[in-house]
Amino acid sequence: RDFAAYVLGMLGDYDAQPALFEAYLHDDSGDVRAYSLMSLGRLRARRYVPDLVRRFFTARDDRARLMLSQVVCTIVGVAAFPL
């Protein structure tokens, strides 16, 4: 599942954005959640920025906050991070 989430972002499958966001929110695997989040960044999924910013402010893990900030910056075009 984590590889599938990664590949959807690499292939530019914009139709997969809702499924990737759901996987980021609800999957039991931390790897699946991480790859889903990175793919949302690669796909520049702007419609999820407000939700991702809220997640940034409620995240307790520094690694999660870092990844969220990099993804949001990539989506809005402020900075380009290797996702």
Side-chain angles (χ1 to χ4, degrees), residues 1-82:
R1 291 187 332 265
D2 56 350
F3 185 68
Y6 174 78
V7 169
L8 289 170
M10 293 301 292
L11 292 176
D13 188 348
Y14 294 97
D15 294 334
Q17 290 180 13
L20 288 167
F21 187 68
E22 285 301 311
Y24 165 67
L25 293 178
H26 302 295
D27 201 276
D28 294 332
S29 167
D31 289 338
V32 172
R33 289 192 309 273
Y35 283 113
S36 296
L37 181 59
M38 287 188 290
S39 286
L40 288 169
R42 279 191 200 99
L43 295 171
R44 302 192 96 171
R46 293 184 76 83
R47 66 179 147 181
Y48 299 109
V49 167
D51 293 309
L52 297 175
V53 170
R54 277 192 292 277
R55 289 267 174 181
F56 172 83
F57 286 110
T58 60
R60 294 184 179 103
D61 178 359
D62 288 340
R63 182 174 167 236
R65 288 172 61 95
L66 175 65
M67 186 178 290
L68 281 160
S69 65
Q70 290 176 341
V71 166
V72 169
C73 286
T74 299
I75 290 172
V76 299
V78 173
F81 292 96

